[in-house]
Amino acid sequence: MTNPFSAQIDLKATLQSGQVFHWHQNADNSWSGLIAEMPARVFEKDRRLVVAQGDPGVIARHFALDHPLDQITAAFPRDPMSQAALTACEGMRILRQPHWECTATFITSSMKQVAHIRSMSLAIRERFGRRVEGSNVSTYPSFDALAGASESALRACGLGYRAGNLLQTAQILAEGGLNLDAIVKQKTPMLRKSLTGLPGVGVKVANCILLFAYERLDAVPIDTWIHRILLTMRGGRDGTAAQLARYARRRLGPYAGYVQQYLFHHARSLKQSKTPVAKKS
DNA sequence: CGCCAGGGTCTCG
DNA sequence: CGAGACCATGGC
C-alpha cells in the first residue's frame, strides 16, 4: 500500500473552492479546521499534504487522498474552458465531508455568496457548537442540538429565511424521519430523492451534498456560475434545468462533479483577480 | 448604493 | 411540466 500522503494536492484551492467553510489559514501558512470533532492543522509542502495536528488516517480520508486524481483529470473534457480550469486548479480535491455538517451548511447556502456562507457557518458553530481543546473553532452542532434551537436564534446567525428550513430539517432528523448515515447505500437517484425530501434541499443543494459528502463524483450542482458556463459551452443556448443537467452529465464525463468544481473555482478566481486593487492614497 | 449571490418553494397556467 | 413571485441578508 502506497503512502496516501504521496498524492498531490492544492490545499488552498481545495479549502477555498466553496466546498467547506470553516477552515482558516495561520500566519505560518498552515490551515486549521475541525474534521467532525477532531482538531486538525495541515500544510502543503512540494504539492503534498503534511499533517501538523490530527490523526493522519482521518485526515487522509477527509482530504480524499485516495481519489485517483491522474485518472480523474485524464477524463476531463478537451474543450478550452475545462482544460484551462484544469491547468489553473491542478491538485484541487473534492473532500469527504460529514453528512450532516455538509447538508446543514448547504441548506444555508441558497442565494448567498461564499464569504457569507462562511460567516453564517462560524456564527452557528459559535452559538450552538461545542468548544474543543486544540481548536479555535467550535464544532458544528448536531441536528439534535439545532432541533431545540429557536428560529429567531438561528436568524441571529444571519440565516434570514433559511433559518426555518435548517430548523425543520434538524427536527426531522432528530425525530428519525431520515438517517443521513444509513442512506449511503442508496443509488444516486434514490439518494438524491431522499435528500430533496428535506426542507431547504432542492436539486442543486442535493447535488452539492452528493458530491461533497457522499462521494458521488458525477453529481453536478448547477448554480449561477455553472449555469453561465454551461450556457457558454452551448454557444449561448439556454435550456430548462433538466436539459442543462443532461448536457452537463454527457459533456463533462464520468467525473462531471470534479470538472464542475474546477470550472466553478476557476471562474470565481478569475473574477477575483479582475477586481481592481485599492487605489493608492 | 444597487446589484447579485453555490436556490427552494409555492402558485398558476 | 414550466415560468414567476417571493423570500432576508451582506459583500462588493
Side-chain angles (χ1 to χ4, degrees):
Chain A
M1 193 73 181
T2 58
N3 176 9
F5 291 92
S6 65
Q8 73 159 327
I9 189 169
D10 183 332
L11 185 57
K12 182 175 183 177
T14 299
L15 291 176
Q16 299 218 295
S17 58
Q19 310 179 48
V20 69
F21 303 93
H22 72 278
W23 289 74
H24 75 93
Q25 192 165 25
N26 303 301
D28 64 359
N29 284 336
S30 68
W31 293 80
S32 292
L34 285 172
I35 300 174
E37 309 210 335
M38 186 195 80
R41 190 162 69 84
V42 293
F43 59 94
E44 185 185 314
K45 182 177 172 60
D46 300 329
R47 311 280 295 172
R48 303 291 185 269
L49 190 65
V50 179
V51 177
Q53 179 192 22
D55 178 75
V58 173
I59 290 172
R61 174 168 174 76
H62 185 70
F63 284 90
L65 298 182
D66 56 311
H67 281 175
L69 216 47
D70 291 339
Q71 184 180 322
I72 291 168
T73 57
F76 265 50
R78 314 308 300 176
D79 69 90
M81 294 185 81
S82 301
Q83 289 297 315
L86 176 54
T87 302
C89 310
E90 188 186 356
M92 185 165 73
R93 288 177 180 274
I94 287 179
L95 301 169
R96 270 196 198 90
Q97 295 186 52
H99 302 141
W100 158 246
E101 214 176 288
C102 184
T103 300
T105 56
F106 278 95
I107 284 175
T108 69
S109 75
S110 80
M111 293 297 294
K112 278 299 178 190
Q113 296 184 144
V114 170
H116 194 222
I117 301 169
R118 172 182 170 83
S119 83
M120 287 185 291
S121 164
L122 294 176
I124 290 171
R125 286 170 180 275
E126 182 69 21
R127 171 68 180 78
F128 298 102
R130 191 173 53 76
R131 273 203 278 279
V132 179
E133 193 177 347
S135 170
N136 44 20
V137 185
S138 292
T139 62
Y140 200 92
S142 66
F143 47 74
D144 287 316
L146 283 190
S150 69
E151 184 173 331
S152 60
L154 284 172
R155 282 181 182 254
C157 296
L159 297 196
Y161 63 84
R162 304 157 194 81
N165 289 331
L166 183 58
L167 181 56
Q168 288 177 50
T169 290
Q171 289 171 345
I172 289 172
L173 297 178
E175 292 162 5
L178 182 68
N179 184 329
L180 289 180
D181 297 327
I183 58 179
V184 295
K185 298 178 292 219
Q186 296 178 350
K187 291 179 189 293
T188 299
M190 181 60 198
L191 182 48
R192 184 181 289 112
K193 198 164 186 179
S194 298
L195 292 171
T196 55
L198 297 169
V201 182
V203 173
K204 188 272 172 182
V205 167
N207 281 328
C208 284
I209 302 168
L210 287 169
L211 180 60
F212 301 140
Y214 286 91
E215 308 180 56
R216 309 306 162 102
L217 303 184
D218 56 339
V220 180
I222 301 180
D223 72 322
T224 57
W225 290 88
I226 297 299
H227 183 250
R228 282 194 293 267
I229 290 168
L230 291 176
L231 216 62
T232 303
M233 285 184 169
R234 286 161 56 94
R237 190 165 50 92
D238 205 348
T240 66
Q243 289 172 324
L244 292 176
R246 200 179 323 122
Y247 175 83
R249 182 156 35 84
R250 280 205 330 261
R251 174 66 177 267
L252 302 185
Y255 297 105
Y258 250 96
V259 180
Q260 170 278 147
Q261 191 65 11
Y262 277 58
L263 289 167
F264 174 80
H265 185 60
H266 184 45
R268 290 188 66 244
S269 307
L270 285 180
K271 173 158 185 183
Q272 194 113 37
S273 66
K274 276 182 192 168
T275 304
V277 280
K279 66 169 185 177
K280 296 174 185 175
S281 57

